[in-house]
Amino acid sequence: MNLQTIVQSLEIGAPIAAGNLTMFPLLASEETPAAYATLDDALAAGFVKVTEVSESGSVPELTIVNDGPTPVLVLDGEELVGAKQNRIVNLTILVPPRTRLPLPVSCVEAGRWAHRSRSFAAAGRTHYAAGRAKKVEQVSYCLAVSGERRADQGAIWDDIDEKAARMAAHSETRAAAAMYEKSRAQLDAFQRSLEALPRQVGAVFAINSAIAGLEVFDCAATWRKSMRKIVESYGLDALDRVQEQRTRARRDPAGWLLYDVMAL
């Protein structure tokens, strides 16, 4: 099923606002089970492991091993912490059962290259939404030009440094994690206001009344498990832009889905 087919089947629920962040729920006609495990669940269960590719490591690539009987969904932008430096995943992949794969990633901790652990742990967050969008554009361009799933690492570091400076979130290792840690109370407030609805499989998010992005999954169970990290990724951007004057969105979410997303 492609994105256009999915979008055509969805209902847009009533908007839910938290500060300058608004969520427009996307609702499926029915609840369906997931045929895979999320990365967080797989890591917690112990049948998936993510490590550096070797003792010396490689910044843009890790190794993921799925020893379990179930496919594992790894989301674009999911952050993995530990090993030689924190990384984010470059694109969404489904890792088959009993499989070892290279995992294309980008670094979000420019000032560290030393082991803190032998394998990675789930951070429980994704990269902030604006940064994910820029990274996806870079990876898509690189994939089209060279067939590699790489981002512009220097641009990612610069973007993190600029955002961290605006948010006064200092880190000795230039870790993006510092912004989430500093903003924990405000991000938790977003979570308390934005809760998953029955049949919800995704959302359109708006910041200062302007549409900021679309997130959608194949089933409500995956959305419920992933919603917290996605809300935080938009929440961090909302906090970064809280001083902006609110503007009227150029299109309502229904029109945006119909004309912009359907044109992809």
Side-chain angles (χ1 to χ4, degrees):
M1 184 180 294
N2 61 32
L3 179 59
Q4 292 184 354
T5 303
I6 292 171
V7 167
Q8 287 177 323
S9 70
L10 299 178
E11 169 193 348
I12 300 178
I16 306 170
N20 64 332
L21 177 65
T22 303
M23 179 180 76
F24 296 84
L26 299 178
L27 310 176
S29 58
E30 61 182 359
E31 294 244 2
T32 57
Y36 48 80
T38 62
L39 179 61
D40 286 355
D41 285 350
L43 287 169
F47 62 83
V48 160
K49 181 176 287 189
V50 183
T51 63
E52 301 286 357
V53 296
S54 64
E55 185 63 28
S56 58
S58 173
V59 172
E61 188 172 279
L62 303 176
T63 296
I64 183 167
V65 179
N66 178 9
D67 284 329
T70 306
V72 174
L73 181 68
V74 184
L75 297 180
D76 163 59
E78 282 198 285
E79 185 171 348
L80 295 158
V81 296
K84 302 194 79 166
Q85 60 185 188
N86 297 350
R87 315 287 224 291
I88 55 172
V89 180
N90 277 359
L91 75 172
T92 297
I93 65 171
L94 192 64
V95 184
R98 317 295 183 190
T99 302
R100 178 188 186 96
L101 291 177
L103 184 64
V105 293
S106 298
C107 170
V108 289
E109 189 182 16
R112 177 171 71 92
W113 188 246
H115 273 109
R116 285 184 178 166
S117 60
R118 305 313 300 180
S119 59
F120 286 89
R125 59 178 172 263
T126 67
H127 200 46
Y128 52 88
R132 278 194 289 130
K134 293 174 185 176
K135 177 188 58 59
V136 166
E137 184 176 3
Q138 296 160 10
V139 172
S140 296
Y141 175 79
C142 187
L143 189 60
V145 171
S146 68
E148 295 185 313
R149 294 161 174 80
R150 294 198 178 192
D152 184 335
Q153 183 61 75
I156 289 173
W157 283 333
D158 289 345
D159 193 53
I160 291 170
D161 288 344
E162 291 165 7
K163 193 178 190 74
R166 290 193 302 270
M167 301 187 75
H170 173 72
S171 166
E172 291 184 358
T173 61
R174 295 168 62 194
M179 293 183 281
Y180 293 85
E181 293 162 1
K182 184 177 187 296
S183 304
R184 176 46 48 204
Q186 299 99 311
L187 294 175
D188 285 347
F190 284 134
Q191 299 291 353
R192 288 191 293 271
S193 298
L194 304 178
E195 297 184 352
L197 301 178
R199 299 186 290 111
Q200 186 175 356
V201 294
V204 174
F205 288 92
I207 297 173
N208 297 333
S209 301
I211 290 171
L214 161 73
E215 310 285 338
V216 64
F217 293 90
D218 65 328
C219 66
T222 306
W223 172 255
R224 284 192 292 269
K225 291 183 177 182
S226 305
M227 181 178 170
R228 181 178 181 87
K229 60 182 67 177
I230 290 171
V231 166
E232 288 198 354
S233 76
Y234 285 94
L236 197 71
D237 285 346
L239 294 174
D240 187 21
R241 296 171 53 189
V242 73
Q243 298 301 324
E244 292 180 9
Q245 183 177 1
R246 296 191 182 192
T247 59
R248 179 176 295 179
R250 288 174 295 176
R251 293 195 181 111
D252 62 34
W256 183 76
L257 282 171
L258 178 62
Y259 295 107
D260 288 34
V261 177
M262 292 299 290
L264 293 176

